[in-house]
Amino acid sequence: MTFAPRPVATTDRPAVALYSDTLTLPSEAMKRAMFDAALGDEQAGLDPTVNELCRRVAALFGKEDAVFLPSGTMCNQIAMLVHCRPGDLVLAHEDAHVLAHEAAAGSALGGVLIGGLRGARGQFDSATLTGAIRARSRYAPIPRLLVIEQTSHLGGGSVWPLERLRDVAACARSNDMALHMDGARLMNGVISSGVSASDMARDFDSVWLCFSKGLGAPFGAVLAGSSEFIDVAWRWKQRLGGAMRQVGMYAAACIFALDHNVQRLVEDNANASRLAAGIADLPGLAVQQPDTNIVLFRTEGTGLTSAELRDRLAAEGVSVTAMDHFLGRAVTHMHVDRDGIDLAIGAFRKVLGAN
């Protein structure tokens, strides 16, 4: 069985689409900003809107420079290609995106070995990290890079506390490892925790932010780091075919998102909490209380697989994702308001016989 997001089945009722926050669409105001953007050749460094976006994101994270890329997966892969050499060891949580959702690109493109670390809700501590680092030997791969996902997707959007981030970063540094932060939904974590993006990223050599999820832009991610790091990242961007032309229209959407769509993430986080609370008492459904905008639930006790529950909810006009045999996911975003959440709760309750 294939487990992947899919659109809701066609019904005669409006869909409540919770299968991902990647389905967000640009607003009319964002589209106007895109239409009005100043453009140039991005590959030659001549697109003023792209350059402004990169300056903004570098400043957001307290880094020297940044580069605009098509996707977060490319950000992760370029970061590993810059930090590592073939045969090196990358350590990340066992559920991290670089392990679970990038088609083994780290091995295919960079020849790196990615080792998975265990821990609750997509996080681990310095003791676990220390235990995974073998003594230097010609028989073992060199532990070169630590990857942290903030927020943790398969941790249910969990937010790494600042103290834990700094603790594992210090441990990695003491073992001569570089640090990379996968920040796909980092701003959801900033809004939830009240910790600034620059404080979260302070100890990391590289960090990126996705704009095509909860921030509502149609395209793009920005990878930030030192000037030296970004210089090498540009070479990999060129090699991977990621250099672009007049993409200031996309960059304008990202700038609009920074100006208008960050603070509203509080609504998505609150709607996820409302959804989780509304289905937590359903018979047999094990619901994880979210930190941010991702609600994970397990279906073993209901007698249904996650795919079976997904399909029954689709018939009620609600779409969710079947992540594995018994793990389901609902993701809140700007196109699902409080009324939509209440409709989703009603659909869950109807399908699981609680009405």
Side-chain angles (χ1 to χ4, degrees):
M1 183 181 293
T2 298
F3 295 95
R6 76 177 198 187
V8 67
T10 301
T11 70
D12 58 359
R13 287 170 289 180
V16 181
L18 294 169
Y19 69 87
S20 180
D21 50 2
T22 58
L23 56 77
T24 53
L25 299 173
S27 65
E28 291 303 315
M30 181 180 282
K31 290 177 184 177
R32 286 194 297 273
M34 295 171 70
F35 184 81
D36 292 338
L39 305 179
D41 187 342
E42 184 268 352
Q43 183 176 5
L46 298 176
D47 191 303
T49 311
V50 171
N51 293 343
E52 175 61 20
L53 172 64
C54 289
R55 284 192 292 269
R56 290 277 302 271
V57 174
L60 178 70
F61 289 130
K63 304 303 181 188
E64 292 177 342
D65 204 355
V67 60
F68 190 36
L69 293 169
S71 72
T73 293
M74 187 176 280
C75 290
N76 279 337
Q77 293 305 315
I78 286 179
M80 287 193 288
L81 287 163
V82 174
H83 290 304
C84 302
R85 296 293 177 268
D88 284 347
L89 174 64
V90 175
L91 291 173
H93 191 275
E94 62 184 355
D95 292 330
H97 198 275
V98 293
L99 263 171
H101 292 109
E102 298 187 10
S107 299
L109 300 177
V112 298
L113 172 66
I114 304 180
L117 304 176
R118 292 187 175 182
R121 302 197 66 195
Q123 301 181 27
F124 50 85
D125 57 23
S126 57
T128 301
L129 175 58
T130 298
I133 298 174
R134 296 168 59 184
R136 295 290 174 116
S137 164
R138 66 176 182 269
Y139 301 109
I142 297 172
R144 189 75 71 184
L145 179 67
L146 178 66
V147 177
I148 297 290
E149 193 176 299
Q150 178 75 312
T151 63
S152 171
H153 170 209
L154 291 182
S158 71
V159 181
W160 284 71
L162 188 57
E163 182 178 356
R164 179 173 290 182
L165 279 177
R166 291 182 172 170
D167 187 44
V168 298
C171 178
R173 288 275 184 240
S174 70
N175 285 280
D176 299 321
M177 298 179 73
L179 291 122
H180 172 66
M181 179 176 283
D182 175 335
R185 296 178 176 88
L186 188 147
M187 299 312 295
N188 289 85
V190 167
I191 293 299
S192 174
S193 67
V195 176
S196 71
S198 60
D199 280 343
M200 286 185 179
R202 188 189 73 180
D203 297 321
F204 289 77
D205 299 290
S206 52
V207 55
W208 62 272
L209 179 63
C210 179
F211 287 92
S212 63
K213 296 184 171 70
L215 293 179
F219 173 94
V222 177
L223 175 66
S226 68
S227 296
E228 180 182 7
F229 171 86
I230 295 300
D231 185 56
V232 182
W234 254 104
R235 181 176 294 274
W236 279 110
K237 177 181 178 180
Q238 188 74 31
R239 286 170 173 164
L240 296 175
M244 301 172 284
R245 299 298 181 182
Q246 290 76 25
V247 289
M249 296 180 72
Y250 288 125
C254 298
I255 291 172
F256 183 94
L258 287 176
D259 290 338
H260 300 282
N261 291 348
V262 173
Q263 290 303 318
R264 65 146 309 281
L265 293 174
V266 69
E267 301 170 24
D268 298 345
N269 293 350
N271 282 337
S273 294
R274 183 176 182 85
L275 175 63
I279 64 175
D281 65 342
L282 292 177
L285 194 68
V287 180
Q288 185 177 103
Q289 293 303 308
D291 290 349
T292 53
N293 69 318
I294 299 175
V295 179
L296 296 182
F297 49 88
R298 299 201 64 86
T299 66
E300 289 98 327
T302 68
L304 300 173
T305 66
S306 61
E308 288 168 341
L309 177 57
R310 174 200 63 197
D311 292 346
R312 295 189 188 189
L313 289 169
E316 300 299 322
V318 175
S319 65
V320 298
T321 304
M323 299 299 292
D324 68 19
H325 203 63
F326 292 112
L327 179 66
R329 183 194 72 177
V331 186
T332 58
H333 53 83
M334 63 177 63
H335 300 319
V336 179
D337 59 15
R338 182 166 173 159
D339 289 342
I341 294 298
D342 289 342
L343 286 172
I345 292 170
F348 269 91
R349 300 188 76 82
K350 179 179 179 180
V351 166
L352 294 177
N355 284 345

